[in-house]
Amino acid sequence: KIKTPQGVEVKGYESLIGGIIVDNPEKVRGGRGELLVFEEAGSFKNLKKAIEISKPLVEDDTLTTGQIIMFGTGGEEGEGIEGLEDIFYSPEPYNFMRFENVWDENDLEEFGFFVPCTAYSPKFMDEHGNPKFEESKKEWEQLREKRKRAKDFKALDRLIAERPFNPAELFKR
C-alpha cells in the first residue's frame, strides 16, 4: 500500500511469500505454490520425503504448475546428505531437470545442476559478470595447500565439501 494525496493505493501483484521450517516433512502438505525452495538440502535428512510430499503443491497430475529448487553444500555424512546426493545423481525419477556432466570424469552423462566454487567469486568475474574459472581455481588451490598445514586434519575436507570444484568433491566421504 502506498500513501498518495488521493488516499491509499494498492500497488504490485499482491504476491505472498511464506516460509516454513521443515523439521518435519509433513509440514509441507496442502496448499499450492509456484516456487518452493529447499535451502540447506545437503543437511536435510528427510529431503526425499519432503520433496515427494510437496510435489502436489507444484504438480497437478501430469501438469507441472510450479517449480521446486533445492540447493546446499556437502560436508554431511549419512542421512543428512543422502537425499540430495540421490536426487542430484538421479534427477529424472523425481521430475527434476538434468544437465550434461561437464564436471566429473565418470560414466554419468547427466545429473543435477552444479555450481563450482570457481564460478561465483566477484573477485574473479569479468565486466559482464562471467566467471574467470582458471584464476579463481588457482586461488582456491593455494588456499587448499595452506589448509593442508592445519593441525585439524579434517579442516581441508570441510573446505573442499563447502567449496568443491566438482560434484565428486561435494559428495566425497
Side-chain angles (χ1 to χ4, degrees):
K1 296 181 179 179
I2 299 173
K3 289 183 181 180
T4 65
Q6 294 77 28
V8 176
E9 287 185 47
V10 177
K11 296 276 188 178
Y13 296 103
E14 296 186 47
S15 299
L16 176 66
I17 298 173
I20 301 171
I21 296 174
V22 187
D23 52 345
N24 176 355
E26 300 293 331
K27 286 183 175 181
V28 298
R29 284 196 191 279
R32 285 278 176 249
E34 291 180 8
L35 176 64
L36 303 178
V37 179
F38 287 83
E39 185 181 14
E40 294 297 338
S43 302
F44 193 163
K45 71 178 182 177
N46 291 313
L47 178 66
K48 288 195 299 187
K49 184 176 180 181
I51 294 291
E52 289 302 320
I53 290 171
S54 64
K55 281 292 190 173
L57 296 162
V58 295
E59 293 177 357
D60 190 6
D61 293 325
T62 59
L63 177 66
T64 301
T65 59
Q67 182 177 20
I68 296 176
I69 298 173
M70 62 181 161
F71 58 92
T73 56
E76 294 284 327
E77 292 181 17
E79 291 181 61
I81 195 151
E82 286 172 356
L84 178 62
E85 183 176 28
D86 187 28
I87 295 170
F88 178 81
Y89 282 119
S90 301
E92 190 172 28
Y94 300 95
N95 201 20
F96 281 92
M97 290 180 68
R98 300 166 313 198
F99 297 86
E100 182 182 352
N101 176 5
V102 297
W103 302 108
D104 283 338
E105 294 178 12
N106 59 30
D107 294 336
L108 294 173
E109 292 180 18
E110 298 177 323
F111 45 52
F113 189 72
F114 175 75
V115 180
C117 67
T118 56
Y120 53 79
S121 174
K123 182 177 176 183
F124 297 106
M125 300 259 179
D126 67 17
E127 65 274 6
H128 304 290
N130 300 307
K132 296 178 181 179
F133 287 103
E134 293 306 314
E135 291 177 37
S136 179
K137 189 171 183 179
K138 283 181 187 176
E139 186 156 306
W140 281 109
E141 286 172 339
Q142 290 172 358
L143 183 56
R144 287 179 178 195
E145 285 301 315
K146 286 181 190 176
R147 195 61 64 92
K148 285 179 183 177
R149 297 190 297 270
K151 289 183 181 183
D152 178 357
F153 70 94
K154 291 214 174 238
L156 177 61
D157 290 341
R158 284 192 300 271
L159 175 66
I160 291 172
E162 295 290 331
R163 302 287 194 262
F165 292 155
N166 54 53
E169 289 184 348
L170 172 68
F171 295 112
K172 183 180 176 184
R173 302 288 195 278

